[in-house]
Amino acid sequence: MEILISGMSSQFQGVGRGQEGRAVFVPGALPGERVRVEPLQDKGSFLKARLEAVLEPSPHRVKPPCPYAGVCGGCAGLHMDYPATLDCKTQRVADALERLGGIAQPPVAHTLGMPQGLSPFRSRNKAEYAVEGGRVGLRREGSRQLVEVEDCLIQGEKSVAALRVARQWLRETPPFSGWLVTRLTRSGALMCVLSAPARPKGLEKLGERLFAQAAGMASFYFCQLRPHPAHALDGRCQWIRGERTLTDTLMGLSFQLQPQSFFQVNPPQAEALYAAALDMAQLRGGGWALDAYCGAGTITLCLAQGAGRVLGVEVVPQAVEDAKANARRNGLEDKADFLCADAAQALPRLLQQGDAPQAVVLDPPRKGAAPALLDALVRSPIPRIVYISCDPATLARDLKRLSPAYRLLSAQPIDMFPWSSHVETAALLWRSDA
């Protein structure tokens, strides 16, 4: 079947129309291309198809530099040039805000790509390699099947070196399922965490090899996973060797990192994201702000450098302890307070005390903000909200819930995850009656 690709899905799949007018989703196809495809799945209202041949290529098509492109599920945009991926992400945010958020002609700026001089490759500081049956690698696109990769072009070379050391060790160890998690600081220090349901035999030998063969190796942990873990570090971490923590920097601040500490995976782009959020919050010259979903306090402390006071609210006790320690480390404990609580419950109490912040910063997980918190904001007199989102769909849904009281003034997408379809967005909302 031959079709013309007219658009791009949120997952970087080309979209065209079949003879019956139904949408056809084609991974690896680009807008403007005429392609030949093989239908694979009939989903009723649409088809999923495999790209057989590109008959008329887009000027943005490039040869993927990675041999695992289209096999591993990590980088869906390697078949297009980097500026084209930024255009697609901008359109993805705009489409979500218009279709799901009900915002006509949403004010979306062009996606900020990697800073000049920095490559979109080797840009991530954290990797989660799947371990299964004596093998380690990445998951095949659309399945749980493991692909044993020799390299990953979005990860640091030191992370890949640790992967290769672990692969050799796994060949000599009874098989198990889990993950190898690596974290790399800006200074080049490497932390490795092996996750499994039970402690594997020869774990100390793996540590010895990592410290002997993986450059920059500084810290090694084992994480005993909970039954049915939700993520690669969902369990109890046990220190094995080296440093117990790593230290990294962001926006001129220093943060201590434990294995389960949250830290943005692309520091230069995290700084671009936080700079956009700080500019939107408009806290120069004092005033106080509330940072909901504050985690270990990265955004809270960035805000505190320019605000009179910032309160970070987080429901995870360990994250709050990390946030307090980070405030002390950076000399900001007199300007940044932290509260272990549900933000949806904490905000109404603060408002009842007559202590309304000048701005609220929301940085929720992918599922979006709690409806109760959004409803409390709608009832509040707070003039500005800065919403940081890693999912345009949940961002649009939440802005629609806030729309009775707030209007979207601007949205700035940032390419935190080059070559993937994921995009971060900082959105500024003003009260409609302000």
Side-chain angles (χ1 to χ4, degrees), residues 125 250 262-267 270 273-274 363 388 416-417 424:
N125 61 16
L250 199 64
F262 173 78
F263 200 69
Q264 292 284 1
V265 301
N266 186 331
L273 175 67
Y274 291 173
D363 187 12
I388 297 175
M416 189 76 71
F417 308 95
E424 294 269 342

Side-chain angles (χ1 to χ4, degrees), residues 7 23 67 73 86-87 94 126 151-152 185 207 238 297 387 397 402 419:
L86 303 181
D87 292 341
K126 185 180 179 183
D151 196 0
C152 178
T185 70
Q238 306 166 17
Y387 193 130
R397 179 202 65 199
L402 290 167
W419 306 115

